[in-house]
Amino acid sequence: MIGINVYLALIAMATLLSMYRFMAGPTTVDRLVAVDIMTTITAGLMVLLALYYQRMILLDVALVYAILAFGGVIAFARYMEGGL
Amino acid sequence: MNALTALGEALVLIGTFFYFLSALGLIRMPDVYNRMQTSTKSATLGSLGVIVGVGIWALGEDFGSVAWLTKTIVIAVFLLLTNPISAHALIRAAYRSGIPLWEGSVMDKYREHIEAKAKGEEGETPKEGGGE
């Protein structure tokens, strides 16, 4: 209908804005928030590419990536809090 | 083009637009609490739209089957459950590591809660001692 290029352009703009916050964030938690948003966007991008390349195995890759990103963000948050 | 493809593409377009809005909120908001507030909510909604939209879109294609919709719904439910947990852990780490609120903020419920709990414990301890 519209074409996958529009979706990929919107995702690329969102990733670039998050990358700006990652590089220019004043505190460490700002950078962690940017990383959290970027991993969420990357999981959606993997699902979209699974449809584009017609490979169903990329859906499993997206699920494992989401699980690992969740564990990583929780570990960093516990470390910032001083409990790790 | 059938109706399932059109519905899936519309959901994917809405989801990517919400991705863009969440990154824009990450740029525009003044402090880390407001940034977390805007960006986590809209990124969760955007990923739900993209992932479920891809599952519905694949049903309308030639290669598609119901397994696509099942797997995408599993990923979407996982993201819906875990994104608030990671946001909560991050924002509690930000508060306890002493990052100050924006100077325009007017309400701090968490500090009121902590002060009320400390005052309640202080008040209860002498009363128990006096009762005995």
Side-chain angles (χ1 to χ4, degrees), chain B residues 46-130:
Chain B
S47 57
L48 281 187
V50 168
I51 291 170
V52 177
V54 164
I56 295 176
W57 185 356
L59 280 183
E61 298 286 333
D62 296 333
F63 59 92
S65 65
V66 190
W68 279 82
L69 187 60
T70 313
K71 280 192 177 182
T72 51
I73 283 178
V74 167
I75 300 174
V77 168
F78 179 79
L79 278 179
L80 183 65
L81 286 180
T82 57
N83 262 336
I85 300 175
S86 62
H88 171 76
L90 272 181
I91 214 66
R92 197 174 60 176
Y95 197 92
R96 291 197 179 171
S97 63
I99 296 173
L101 268 70
W102 180 44
E103 66 266 16
S105 301
V106 295
M107 187 172 286
D108 193 355
K109 283 286 187 183
Y110 188 51
R111 198 184 61 196
E112 290 176 9
H113 172 71
I114 289 176
E115 285 175 355
K117 207 166 73 172
K119 192 187 295 179
E121 285 178 357
E122 278 182 7
E124 277 181 8
T125 319
K127 197 168 64 181
E128 284 180 4

Side-chain angles (χ1 to χ4, degrees), chain A residues 1-2 7 10 14 17 20-21 29-30 33 36 40 44 47-48 50-51 54 56 59-60 67 70 77-78 81, chain B residues 1 9 13 16 19 23 26-27 32 35-36 54 57-58 63 67-68 71 75 78 82 86 89 92-94 96:
Chain A
M1 185 167 60
I2 296 177
Y7 314 137
L10 278 170
L17 290 179
Y20 169 74
R21 178 53 67 197
V29 184
D30 279 316
V33 172
D36 191 20
T40 306
V47 173
L48 198 59
L51 181 80
Q54 304 184 4
M56 197 190 252
L59 292 179
D60 300 332
I67 293 174
F70 171 65
R78 293 294 292 173
E81 204 174 328
Chain B
M1 174 179 297
E9 285 211 34
L13 179 63
T16 49
Y19 274 161
L26 201 61
I27 292 295
V32 64
R35 278 175 208 140
M36 168 64 79
V54 164
W57 185 356
F63 59 92
W68 279 82
K71 280 192 177 182
I75 300 174
F78 179 79
T82 57
S86 62
R92 197 174 60 176
R96 291 197 179 171

Side-chain angles (χ1 to χ4, degrees), chain A residues 15-84:
Chain A
T15 310
L16 281 180
L17 290 179
S18 307
M19 186 62 81
Y20 169 74
R21 178 53 67 197
F22 177 74
M23 287 191 293
T27 65
T28 311
V29 184
D30 279 316
R31 301 171 202 267
L32 278 180
V33 172
V35 168
D36 191 20
I37 301 307
M38 275 194 282
T39 54
T40 306
I41 290 175
T42 308
L45 177 65
M46 276 186 196
V47 173
L48 198 59
L49 288 182
L51 181 80
Y52 184 68
Y53 291 120
Q54 304 184 4
R55 295 279 187 272
M56 197 190 252
I57 191 87
L58 286 178
L59 292 179
D60 300 332
V61 177
L63 182 59
V64 172
Y65 182 74
I67 293 174
L68 287 180
F70 171 65
V73 168
I74 290 293
F76 267 113
R78 293 294 292 173
Y79 172 68
M80 284 291 299
E81 204 174 328
L84 192 68

